[in-house]
Amino acid sequence: MSFQLSLSTESVTAAYPDEPLFVAPDATVSEVLRLLKAQKTGHVLICEEGRLAGIFTERDALRLMAAQQDLDQPVSQVMSRDPVSLEEGASVGEAISTMSEGGYRQLPILGPGGTPTGLATVYGIVHYLVDHFPQTIYTLPPDPSSAPSEREGA
Amino acid sequence: MITCPFCGSENIEGSDLCDDCQHSLTDLSIPQPGTSVERGLLKDRIQLLKLRTACNVAPEVPVRTVLKQMAAESIGCVMIVEGEALKGIFTERDALCRLNADVAQFADRPISSVMTTAPVTLESKDRIAFALHKMHVGGYRHIPIMEAGKLVGVISIRDILHYLSERISAAT
């Protein structure tokens, strides 16, 4: 029924990584923003010749919006270059510690040859953890104060 | 199949009474926390996590000012508070979905025109399991925490992840 949860042996690819969304380095920031909205996601990867060159996230978008910067500049000017990433063989525990040390919410997962194959996210890892105790989480009433004190009919 | 804990005979799933000895089987269907992590989730209260101080703004503050403040302080969400009442929440995702590339048009409007109204909140005495439930099912990154109708702080999904990973490493 339940299986032993071990953060150090389970691969990060089991923790529901997002499909990576790619854009070319010369795409403009406003194109990228529209793409993010349409795809309902908060991060794109920027690739050059099949290799990961940078990442552009919601936080970068917020900074640009706040500074009222030109949104027609290419995304390669404003992306975070050479982001911290994980190898495919990395464990869930490594992903969690890298995220909490660096304050990252998503980490690209690099396959052989440095091509991104996925994106480990906080949501995915939480989903993976909840999978290990579904009864505790999914059976909760929607409102904490509405839990009945007695069994029905008792 | 449920095995009766009293006489050991097998009953069909969902039976209230054991066919053989007529003992009640209803207690067997109550979920029991199996691991120490589950017990902790159901026992620990949200106040055990270190609440982050929420960044409060008034509803009439212009979008431009709020964006600047969020970027300067590197925070992902602000609470829109009028008096002591929580009116709404404005997050990075709202900025991305509502302002997007047309941010210049919205810059002088009040933040209340683009906030998310009536956000899901929890009390600081609620169990952590509820916070995890709300965040996971609703896909939220932040939940405002109230105490007697007053906003006292905010917890983020990273606080929960930190809590969980600590508990799981301690348990194994």
Side-chain angles (χ1 to χ4, degrees):
Chain A
M1 193 181 84
S2 67
F3 41 112
Q4 183 64 40
L5 179 57
S6 174
L7 296 180
S8 53
T9 52
E10 194 68 65
S11 160
V12 70
T13 47
Y16 302 97
D18 277 9
E19 284 281 311
L21 189 63
F22 297 111
V23 295
D26 55 354
T28 67
V29 173
S30 53
E31 279 169 7
V32 172
L33 289 183
R34 293 212 171 85
L35 178 71
L36 287 175
K37 183 181 176 181
Q39 298 287 331
K40 291 200 170 61
T41 172
H43 34 256
V44 287
L45 299 178
I46 293 99
C47 270
E48 272 169 345
E49 293 155 11
R51 288 188 62 85
L52 181 66
I55 186 169
F56 183 82
T57 67
E58 276 170 283
R59 189 54 66 94
D60 302 318
L62 185 76
R63 291 220 177 87
L64 290 179
M65 287 183 196
Q68 299 194 316
Q69 286 201 15
D70 174 22
L71 297 183
D72 291 323
Q73 57 184 322
V75 68
S76 53
Q77 299 278 318
V78 290
M79 69 188 184
S80 315
R81 279 184 187 281
D82 302 319
V84 174
S85 51
L86 297 170
E87 298 292 319
E88 250 174 5
S91 68
V92 176
E94 276 172 55
I96 294 176
S97 56
T98 315
M99 280 183 183
S100 59
E101 275 159 27
Y104 308 117
R105 265 191 310 237
Q106 55 278 110
L107 295 168
I109 303 167
L110 298 183
T115 319
T117 54
L119 209 73
T121 66
V122 174
Y123 296 109
I125 293 178
V126 168
H127 185 178
Y128 167 81
L129 296 179
V130 170
D131 275 354
H132 289 81
F133 30 84
Q135 284 199 334
T136 310
I137 301 302
Y138 291 128
T139 55
L140 290 175
D143 180 8
S145 55
S146 75
S149 55
E150 284 182 358
R151 216 179 296 157
E152 213 174 351
Chain B
M1 266 324 161
I2 343 178
T3 312
C4 173
F6 304 102
C7 66
S9 65
E10 291 196 329
N11 293 273
I12 55 167
E13 195 72 45
S15 324
D16 285 343
L17 293 174
C18 173
D19 280 341
D20 240 25
C21 67
Q22 302 298 310
H23 258 297
S24 167
L25 298 176
T26 45
D27 281 342
L28 295 181
S29 55
I30 299 174
Q32 299 295 332
T35 64
S36 63
V37 180
E38 285 171 74
R39 275 195 294 280
L41 280 169
L42 291 171
K43 202 169 105 256
D44 293 344
R45 297 173 189 273
I46 290 172
Q47 59 212 9
L48 187 88
L49 304 170
K50 218 170 67 210
L51 289 188
R52 294 158 190 247
T53 329
C55 178
N56 300 350
V57 296
E60 61 275 3
V61 175
V63 169
R64 183 199 307 274
T65 319
V66 175
L67 287 177
K68 281 213 176 99
Q69 190 179 356
M70 287 169 83
E73 295 177 24
S74 283
I75 46 173
C77 80
V78 292
M79 303 294 157
I80 290 88
V81 176
E82 195 170 35
E84 284 194 343
L86 178 66
K87 292 286 172 195
I89 184 169
F90 181 78
T91 67
E92 279 171 287
R93 191 48 68 91
D94 295 323
L96 189 68
C97 289
R98 306 218 173 112
L99 309 178
N100 208 264
D102 314 314
V103 60
Q105 290 173 30
F106 289 93
D108 293 316
R109 298 205 195 161
I111 190 70
S112 56
S113 64
V114 290
M115 70 184 183
T116 302
T117 49
V120 167
T121 62
L122 284 172
E123 296 273 320
S124 59
K125 63 172 176 26
D126 289 336
R127 314 289 178 179
I128 291 175
F130 280 98
L132 185 54
H133 176 254
K134 297 273 181 209
M135 284 183 174
H136 177 53
V137 175
Y140 309 127
R141 219 174 288 169
H142 299 99
I143 293 184
I145 304 301
M146 318 290 282
E147 247 170 48
K150 259 182 71 180
L151 180 70
V152 290
V154 60
I155 52 164
S156 84
I157 195 161
R158 273 200 301 218
D159 300 332
I160 301 273
L161 183 63
H162 185 70
Y163 166 86
L164 276 178
S165 60
E166 258 184 9
R167 285 307 164 101
I168 292 167
S169 332
T172 47

